[in-house]
Amino acid sequence: MSVQLRARSAQLRARSAPLRARTIVLTLCSALLATAATALPTRADAAAPSAAAWEVRGPHGSPTAVVALDPADGHATLAVRRDGATVLEPSPVGLVTEQADFSRGLTYAGRSDRTVTEHYTSPTGKSRMRVVHMTEARFRFRTAAGARLDLVTRVAPDGVAYRYVLPGADGNVLRETSAFTLPAGSNALLGGYRADNELRFSRYDSAATAPTGAYMMQALFQTPGGYALIAESDVDGSYAGAQLTHTADSPTYGLSLWNDEPVQTSGALITPWRALVTGDLATVTESTFVDDLAPASRVRDTSWIKPGPALWTWLAGGKEAGQSLAAQEKYVDYATERGWPYEVVDAGWYFKTDAWDVVDPDWQTDSWMPELVRYAAAKGVGIHVWLHYSLLTDPAEREKWLSTLESWGVKGVKIDFMDSESQERMRWYDEVLESTARHHLMVNFHGSTIPKGIQRTWPQVMTMEGVGGEEKRTNTPEQLASLPFTRNVIGSMDFTPGAFHRPYRPNVASDAGELGLTVLYESGIQNLSGTPESYDARPEARRYLEQLPARWEETRLLAGDPGRSAVLARRAADGRWFIGGTFTGPAHTVDVPVRLGAGRWLVETVTDGPSGLVRETHAVRGGDILAVPVTAEGGFAAIACRAHVGRTTCEN
């Protein structure tokens, strides 16, 4: 079935005009905004102290946050509106410590406002250049005993967030009373909570009637006021990770901390941000709000941080490949031929050959890894290696491992099996991130927490698992179409696509759909998990994968319905757009808006044909609709480039 062009450009241009206008405004703002946060003069709130509600308005086009204090029992709430419609009903805010209850009995003590304007770059993620423009309001409350709680609220065009500041020493945090109450008529896309964040997402027609249980802090809701994704940002060792809790037949989702354990404090405390990424589906999908809330980079020199595709050998060869220098050299050769900058050596390289889970005590002298690193470096390929996190818990042992890997010339580490979001484990992340930055080692966390702004503060974090990726056997087509709107919104995701040889993948009948996942899912190190033989058997897939860029400059949602379909376009530094799409349901033809810019474009599509992958080139105009055939539970991949006289391909 060939791809056909449907001339509906006028209709699409009218539909996409607001999005183009938003892009122009953001571009102009980028030239004007300073690189540091700028505070407006603090002012006293104009309302009388007895006022029950206060609005926080952000830049033009932003939602509005409403902070309120119930005069009956003194509990505070936060609500969110957009364009007159409700995104979040008044929802409880507050926490309880050993010495004070900040969930009720509060009195209002004042407010101050400022604007937050920042400009930063990111080596990974949906876009390289980031512009931050938010309004911040700090509300001061006191208990009857005089203890003080500050509620810091931020509003941006793509979200609302709040955090708590305890200026005094009020003891350990016992619990938060933070919650999110959804308006009637909201539906939900939720993933059950587990320590490794690898459970699947499910759609619920009613957010209120979702089953009782714990859910991940990456829950997507469609509300009367637009989409809303609950997340958190700036979680470090001063706190613990959180999860959502829900009781069936309730519109409210509460928040609980790891195992309900107290958060240990020794003085003043600033909690993580509780974030609501909100807007239309494109705004939420393209948002960098979770990163924007996080602290600025703690790595001064980032010249050594270089993202790019990698040949991941675990699914290709398993344990045997990890223990064989000869096998790894062949993988390096294949990565060289493809132009991929990295090869990842997984478990097995430092184990005893007779017991793969026991570390060789003489690994520093017995290992063939230095030889592999030298061999790969001569061919322009960098080596990343797998480590069990327990090797890095003791400071002396951590220094031994990381300094040795740096001396060998290893470029990055894949650290596995943390499986906790406790305060103790978050402190471990702090220590490991400082150490890996000092030793110039890029990081991929597996069996891990989810990003939560970590990639802005520690830009050497190339990617994190926190997802049931390609090696799992439990994925579904619905899961593939859920991840672009949930997990991958908040940061890089190591799904490890490209395993054409795996019979367990949910799109097993669609090689084009599998190929499209390499673009649909963003990862600073895109670990390609197929075998060389599977790539060679699919020359069109191999040709496409050889063109994958090191990073993305911009991301756009072209079409999507969470849990059912997703089409994303990502722009490379050379101006080409790479497109990936995935769909549930029977075979059909999908309409893809060419929302890439005005003018003439060539679009090379890769779809499933009766005898394998089919590549076709089409001349279109920006704003046209492209009709693309997809197989049942399948998808497609594409590359778009500017059309010039005599140009017949998008390959550089």
Side-chain angles (χ1 to χ4, degrees), residues 46-377:
S50 60
W54 307 268
E55 288 189 345
V56 185
R57 296 181 178 271
H60 178 72
S62 299
T64 298
V66 181
V67 175
L69 190 65
D70 189 320
D73 66 358
H75 81 271
T77 62
L78 183 141
V80 178
R81 301 194 306 261
R82 181 185 284 275
D83 297 330
T86 300
V87 177
L88 189 71
E89 296 282 5
S91 302
V93 294
L95 48 76
V96 178
T97 73
E98 291 175 323
Q99 300 174 17
D101 184 350
F102 295 105
S103 68
R104 58 184 178 177
L106 301 176
T107 57
Y108 176 74
R111 167 183 177 173
S112 58
D113 288 44
R114 68 173 188 142
T115 59
V116 177
T117 302
E118 297 173 336
H119 180 201
Y120 68 99
T121 60
S122 176
T124 60
K126 290 173 275 190
S127 59
R128 186 171 66 90
M129 303 297 297
R130 310 285 180 87
V131 175
V132 180
H133 191 38
M134 306 179 189
T135 298
E136 179 182 288
R138 179 184 290 252
F139 297 91
R140 296 181 295 281
F141 299 101
R142 293 191 181 277
T143 67
R148 176 175 152 187
L149 169 74
D150 288 0
L151 177 68
V152 181
T153 305
R154 286 188 178 180
V155 178
D158 54 346
V160 172
Y162 66 89
R163 74 190 322 172
Y164 308 113
V165 177
L166 301 182
D170 298 296
N172 297 333
V173 175
L174 301 181
R175 65 183 183 275
E176 287 191 30
T177 55
S178 312
F180 303 86
T181 301
L182 283 304
S186 300
N187 62 32
L189 185 62
L190 306 172
Y193 182 78
R194 198 171 68 186
D196 58 8
N197 293 283
E198 293 184 10
L199 296 182
R200 294 201 308 263
F201 287 86
S202 298
R203 284 177 61 123
Y204 300 97
D205 291 336
S206 169
T209 59
T212 296
Y215 296 98
M216 292 183 283
M217 288 285 286
Q218 43 183 322
L220 180 70
F221 301 91
Q222 187 176 14
T223 77
Y227 283 90
L229 178 72
I230 296 174
E232 60 181 341
S233 182
D234 192 15
V235 185
D236 60 19
S238 67
Y239 218 73
Q243 57 198 265
L244 296 174
T245 57
H246 181 248
T247 301
D249 298 321
S250 169
T252 299
Y253 286 74
L255 185 147
S256 64
L257 302 176
W258 173 260
N259 283 349
D260 294 322
E261 297 172 357
V263 171
Q264 305 296 315
T265 65
S266 58
L269 175 68
I270 301 176
T271 72
W273 292 102
R274 306 306 176 206
L276 198 72
V277 187
T278 184
D280 60 19
L281 190 58
T283 298
V284 172
T285 308
E286 299 166 13
S287 171
T288 61
F289 188 55
V290 174
D291 281 346
D292 297 344
L293 290 166
S297 173
R298 292 183 58 182
V299 182
R300 186 179 299 273
D301 174 20
T302 60
S303 61
W304 54 277
I305 302 173
K306 298 178 180 179
L311 176 58
W312 178 46
T313 63
W314 183 253
L315 288 190
K319 180 179 69 174
E320 292 74 18
Q323 294 176 341
S324 169
L325 172 62
Q328 294 295 343
E329 287 180 338
K330 289 181 180 178
Y331 289 126
V332 166
D333 292 342
Y334 197 80
T336 302
E337 293 168 2
R338 305 282 76 79
W340 297 333
Y342 299 113
E343 191 239 357
V344 179
V345 183
D346 216 278
W349 69 270
Y350 59 73
F351 297 150
K352 288 184 176 180
T353 56
D354 59 342
W356 77 276
D357 59 344
V358 178
V359 177
D360 182 348
D362 299 316
W363 64 271
Q364 287 177 293
T365 55
D366 290 351
S367 179
W368 40 260
M369 185 57 66
E371 184 176 347
L372 178 66
V373 172
R374 289 191 295 270
Y375 180 86

Side-chain angles (χ1 to χ4, degrees), residues 492-546:
S492 296
M493 179 180 76
D494 196 23
F495 188 85
T496 69
F500 296 103
H501 63 297
R502 294 279 284 181
Y504 314 107
R505 57 187 176 94
N507 56 5
V508 68
S510 176
D511 285 347
E514 183 67 28
L515 186 62
L517 297 183
T518 64
V519 174
L520 192 66
Y521 299 154
E522 185 276 323
S523 181
I525 297 292
Q526 186 64 285
N527 284 290
L528 304 171
S529 58
T531 63
E533 294 78 13
S534 68
Y535 297 138
D536 291 342
R538 298 164 177 82
E540 288 300 340
R542 185 182 62 194
R543 175 183 179 274
Y544 190 93
L545 295 174
E546 288 172 346

Side-chain angles (χ1 to χ4, degrees), residues 299-305 402 405-406 409-413 433-443 460:
V299 182
R300 186 179 299 273
D301 174 20
T302 60
S303 61
W304 54 277
I305 302 173
L402 299 183
L405 294 177
E406 180 188 25
V410 169
K411 300 299 183 184
V413 287
L433 287 166
E434 187 280 328
S435 297
T436 53
R438 180 161 37 84
H439 289 293
H440 288 187
L441 291 167
M442 292 177 279
V443 180
Q460 81 271 24

